[in-house]
Amino acid sequence: MSDSAGLVVTGIGVTTAVGRGKADFTRALFAGEHRFAVMDRPGRQSGTRFVGAELPDPVPAPRLDARDLRTASLTGQVALATLEEAWTEAGLDGYDADRIGLVIGGSNLQQRELVRAHDRHRAKPHFLRPSYGLSFLDTDLCGLCTSAFGIRGLAHTVGGASASGQLAVIEAAEAVAAGRVDVCVALGALADLSYWELLGLRAMGAMAGEDHADAPAEACRPFDRGRSGFVYGEACAALVIERRDARPAAPAPYARLSGWSVRLDGNRDPNPSLAGETAAIRQALHRAGLTARDIDYVNPHGTASPTGDETEVAALKACGLTHAAVNATKSITGHGLTAAGAVEAAASLLQMRHGRLHPTRNLTAPVDDAPRWVRGQAVDADIQHCLSLSMGFGGINTALCLSACAA
Amino acid sequence: MTKEKTFTLIVDAVREILPELADHDFGETDTLDGLGANSMDRAEIVMTVLEEMDLDIPLVDTHGPRNLGELAQHLSDTAAVKAG
């Protein structure tokens, strides 16, 4: 798919631990802030001291009545708040509801809430609340969001592990490009992990351990030689995607979606693939009609996993992208897992609009000197073309090209 | 458990599940439908009461009563039978 479809992003919503809403989030990005700490949300620890970035309470839930609020998960409430920001910015109230779609990136999204329900009813399972039969499904988020916003065009979830958020952006773009809807919101949903998922991710060596519990600010260090795995972060982002000429009243777009790619490694395992990552980058560039030299800035996946970061740097080098500026949004937000790809696309678009790149926290000894790292402090930058990358367990690689509308 | 206490449990559950009724003056002739409960709300309300009463019966066994008073009487009677 080339940008001949004229797809643009006209609204953004962001909810992360460092900033609720675009203004707070953007300020925190450029300041290199963080909220990493030993997590204390109920269901996150079990004799453990996992470090992560949690949202401040309470989370506002606009368009949600008190009755639904009682059974809406944290993931659902954050989705509604994030969607509200993107929806309002794009000015979608009053638009033909049959022509608006929603693609939610993520699966197994509400694990912490499920574990808490299991714990409450373990000794008396026959009293489990009937609403559990609905709320254990990820698609409950589709119901919450479409009922609150009146969306009638399409709504479904897409699972791509840590690439889910970017996969949602791609699926939403393709839905608009195919004419299924005029406007489609891609939402990278908050992956609400319980201690069980955290234990599993730690056991497999993907996640930084509890050795950072006494220095949580230093735990998350993508592309640094001292990294030891990703640090979890609660996050969610929504992007409104539409044809540039679809609505006369649409606001000025952030950028064009000029190209994208989804490439598989044919591999169930969590290990990254240089071949898969380079294939995704090259295909996205080709579809955008760009060369590597055209890319000013790369927002990488950058989880801080020992092999993941090295493989990604190797992919950037193999694709001729060492001239481009590179920073790691996860160093500030933590790893939002299913939300990450959408959050990082949003971060890329906000940086393009502000002409400024955020620093990479804790990048004191880079794994490789070839990429043009942004670290220390934010820098001004004229970004005409940007590349955002996401990779998920199971060999899922996605790449997204974003281009300034004047470019 | 007496019918009166069971009725109080039902009212508490309705107020929890349907918070917009916090100030409603409940009577025995109120119906869950009339109070605005949908099918999921009704099931949540009854299950909440059953747990409070520690009364392990299928939800389908609570479908007969036509209003809150009849539901309180039915659950109270059922609990008495189960207790022997």
Side-chain angles (χ1 to χ4, degrees):
Chain A
M1 178 64 59
S2 76
D3 73 329
S4 60
L7 302 183
V8 294
V9 178
T10 56
I12 293 176
V14 189
T15 306
T16 71
V18 294
R20 185 178 287 162
K22 288 186 292 289
D24 276 358
F25 176 63
T26 305
R27 180 195 50 72
L29 277 183
F30 293 144
E33 292 180 1
H34 82 94
R35 282 183 60 91
F36 296 113
V38 174
M39 294 189 284
D40 66 359
R41 201 179 290 288
R44 284 277 159 72
Q45 308 282 7
S46 178
T48 47
R49 296 184 71 205
F50 291 120
V51 171
E54 294 178 324
L55 301 172
D57 288 326
V59 176
R63 307 195 196 210
L64 187 64
D65 62 30
R67 190 187 302 194
D68 282 334
L69 179 61
R70 191 184 64 84
T71 52
S73 66
L74 173 68
T75 301
Q77 294 177 49
V78 171
L80 288 167
T82 309
L83 180 51
E84 178 77 31
E85 185 184 23
W87 183 279
T88 301
E89 182 178 35
L92 294 178
D93 275 333
Y95 191 70
D96 183 357
D98 290 328
R99 300 298 300 163
I100 300 177
L102 172 69
V103 179
I104 294 179
S107 52
N108 311 107
L109 290 165
Q110 306 166 105
Q111 295 298 103
R112 186 184 60 87
E113 306 259 12
L114 302 185
V115 165
R116 295 189 75 206
H118 299 168
D119 288 348
R120 270 197 306 276
H121 290 98
R122 190 172 311 282
K124 42 183 180 177
H126 37 279
F127 293 132
L128 184 66
R129 294 294 181 270
S131 58
Y132 182 89
L134 184 66
S135 63
F136 84 91
L137 296 163
D138 289 323
T139 46
D140 188 33
L141 267 64
C142 295
L144 263 181
C145 291
T146 58
S147 62
F149 288 85
I151 295 169
R152 295 289 185 274
L154 63 89
H156 58 86
T157 60
V158 293
S162 292
S164 296
Q166 191 163 111
L167 189 59
V169 173
I170 292 169
E171 290 291 320
E174 294 192 342
V176 176
R180 294 176 62 196
V181 286
D182 297 332
V183 182
C184 197
V185 185
L187 187 137
L190 187 152
D192 193 0
L193 301 190
S194 78
Y195 58 83
W196 287 108
E197 290 72 50
L198 295 169
L199 286 164
L201 290 161
R202 182 185 67 179
M204 72 190 295
M207 194 177 75
E210 296 159 72
D211 49 322
H212 294 286
D214 294 325
E218 298 169 16
C220 188
R221 41 196 329 115
F223 300 111
D224 187 81
R225 287 180 190 160
R227 72 201 182 284
S228 58
F230 79 82
V231 177
Y232 170 71
E234 293 180 338
C236 179
L239 276 62
V240 177
I241 297 165
E242 59 186 304
R243 289 178 187 275
R244 193 170 187 177
D245 58 358
R247 292 185 302 138
Y254 283 87
R256 289 183 292 132
L257 299 175
S258 51
W260 56 81
S261 176
V262 180
R263 300 286 294 189
L264 282 295
D265 298 335
N267 172 15
R268 181 194 180 193
D269 294 330
N271 56 300
S273 160
L274 177 60
E277 293 181 18
T278 55
I281 292 170
R282 287 173 176 146
Q283 187 173 56
L285 288 171
H286 177 73
R287 287 179 171 174
L290 300 172
T291 69
R293 291 299 309 174
D294 296 317
I295 299 297
D296 306 301
Y297 163 59
V298 178
N299 188 301
H301 189 52
T303 63
S305 81
T307 57
D309 284 3
E310 290 183 7
T311 305
E312 191 166 14
V313 169
L316 297 181
K317 292 165 79 172
C319 291
L321 287 161
T322 53
H323 67 283
V326 181
N327 58 14
T329 302
K330 289 185 181 73
S331 72
I332 294 170
T333 60
H335 191 346
L337 299 169
T338 50
V343 170
E344 288 150 24
S348 300
L349 292 161
L350 292 166
Q351 290 177 99
M352 291 177 78
R353 174 160 285 187
H354 288 272
R356 196 161 173 77
L357 293 169
H358 72 72
T360 308
R361 294 189 71 261
N362 292 325
L363 184 50
T364 54
V367 293
D368 194 301
D369 290 328
R372 195 157 64 81
W373 304 111
V374 183
R375 55 192 179 122
Q377 59 188 13
V379 298
D380 291 336
D382 176 19
I383 309 162
Q384 293 298 306
H385 301 285
C386 156
L387 190 62
S388 183
L389 306 176
S390 286
M391 292 93 182
F393 288 165
I396 301 167
N397 309 287
T398 61
L400 182 66
C401 286
L402 303 167
S403 298
C405 283
Chain B
M1 185 177 289
T2 64
K3 177 189 174 187
E4 289 69 28
K5 187 167 183 187
T6 305
F7 182 79
T8 300
L9 289 178
I10 294 170
V11 169
D12 289 347
V14 172
R15 286 187 168 132
E16 177 189 341
I17 310 303
L18 307 175
E20 66 271 25
L21 297 178
D23 298 326
H24 180 74
D25 184 17
F26 289 90
E28 291 196 7
T29 57
D30 279 332
T31 67
L32 291 175
D33 279 348
L35 291 169
N38 62 28
S39 59
M40 181 64 76
D41 298 330
R42 293 197 298 274
E44 290 274 292
I45 289 164
V46 174
M47 187 62 87
T48 300
V49 175
L50 293 179
E51 183 175 8
E52 287 295 320
M53 298 176 72
D54 195 24
L55 182 58
D56 182 11
I57 59 172
L59 276 178
V60 69
D61 289 355
T62 68
H63 288 179
R66 291 167 298 179
N67 57 42
L68 300 194
E70 289 185 16
L71 179 62
Q73 186 69 60
H74 176 70
L75 295 180
S76 178
D77 292 347
T78 303
V81 169
K82 294 270 283 187

